[in-house]
Amino acid sequence: MTPVPSRERLLREGIRLMSERGFRETTVGDIEAAAGLTRRAGGFYRHFASKEDLLVRALEGAVAEIIGEISLDQVVSLKAIRAELILIARALIAHATLYRPLRLVFQREAHSLPALRRMAKHANKKLAAFDVIPWLKHALRRSERKAKPEQLGLMIFGPILIHIQAQDRGDAAFGIADIESFLPAWADHWAEWFEPGGKA
């Protein structure tokens, strides 16, 4: 089995510890020890300038992975709005589950970590620009609908984001714990909206 590089171990363990204990309560030595490195021997600082830098780099990596996972060509090759919506939604939910510890750290700590806040703002714009907005522009071109893609994106994918945030809290948004029971009706609604002559 190929050994996991020190940087990846530090990222994984740093996020895990900070999500469990909190940013301030987690020391660099704790992260080094959890990653199998000697405490305070400099292993952490060979890869990251600070704990906040670790979080920023983790967020950068998560965004790059999400953007690289599904291409516009792959989505539109389905040639059906409903199927495309479900593919995008499931990808968003899968990544949200995978990166939940990082998101929990961000939700609790971003107010006091300016570099992390800036990176998150940049990440949200990048994700929209590379994933959601191009698909929406393509979908609008295929229909007779006129709408601003950014506003439409919030309307369409807002419920998915609400579900993800509710899961982070250990809650069920509007009492719907299983998103799979919601996705078909959600996708049907928007697929009908995109149909030429569909309901306004």
Side-chain angles (χ1 to χ4, degrees), residues 14-106:
I15 293 164
R16 180 183 66 79
L17 289 172
M18 285 186 260
S19 71
E20 292 172 0
R21 301 178 183 177
F23 181 82
R24 283 166 197 74
E25 292 74 18
T26 302
T27 68
V28 167
D30 293 337
I31 297 170
E32 288 171 325
L37 303 177
T38 304
R39 278 180 180 272
R40 294 186 287 278
F44 180 92
Y45 293 106
R46 278 194 280 278
H47 300 282
F48 306 105
S50 63
K51 292 186 295 180
E52 186 175 9
D53 183 50
L54 179 147
L55 293 173
V56 167
R57 302 299 159 223
L59 190 53
E60 284 176 346
V63 169
E65 185 177 317
I66 293 166
I67 289 172
E69 183 96 1
I70 298 180
S71 69
L72 177 62
D73 289 343
Q74 178 188 357
V75 175
V76 300
S77 71
L78 297 174
K79 299 186 184 305
I81 294 287
R82 184 183 190 279
E84 293 166 24
L85 281 163
I86 289 177
L87 178 65
I88 294 168
R90 285 186 176 145
L92 291 171
I93 293 163
H95 280 97
T97 301
L98 180 63
Y99 289 104
R100 181 162 289 133
L102 177 59
R103 222 173 38 260
L104 292 174
V105 174
F106 174 78

Side-chain angles (χ1 to χ4, degrees), residues 96-126:
T97 301
L98 180 63
Y99 289 104
R100 181 162 289 133
L102 177 59
R103 222 173 38 260
L104 292 174
V105 174
F106 174 78
Q107 289 168 8
R108 286 198 300 257
E109 312 289 352
H111 67 282
S112 61
L113 300 172
L116 186 59
R117 274 199 317 276
R118 283 193 300 274
M119 179 56 202
K121 188 174 181 181
H122 173 71
N124 285 334
K125 285 183 180 177
K126 194 170 182 181

Side-chain angles (χ1 to χ4, degrees), residues 142-163:
R142 288 182 284 169
S143 73
E144 296 172 352
R145 293 292 186 180
K146 302 293 180 198
K148 293 183 178 178
E150 295 80 6
Q151 294 173 357
L152 186 59
L154 181 58
M155 292 168 61
I156 293 175
F157 293 102
I160 307 303
L161 300 177
I162 289 170
H163 166 77

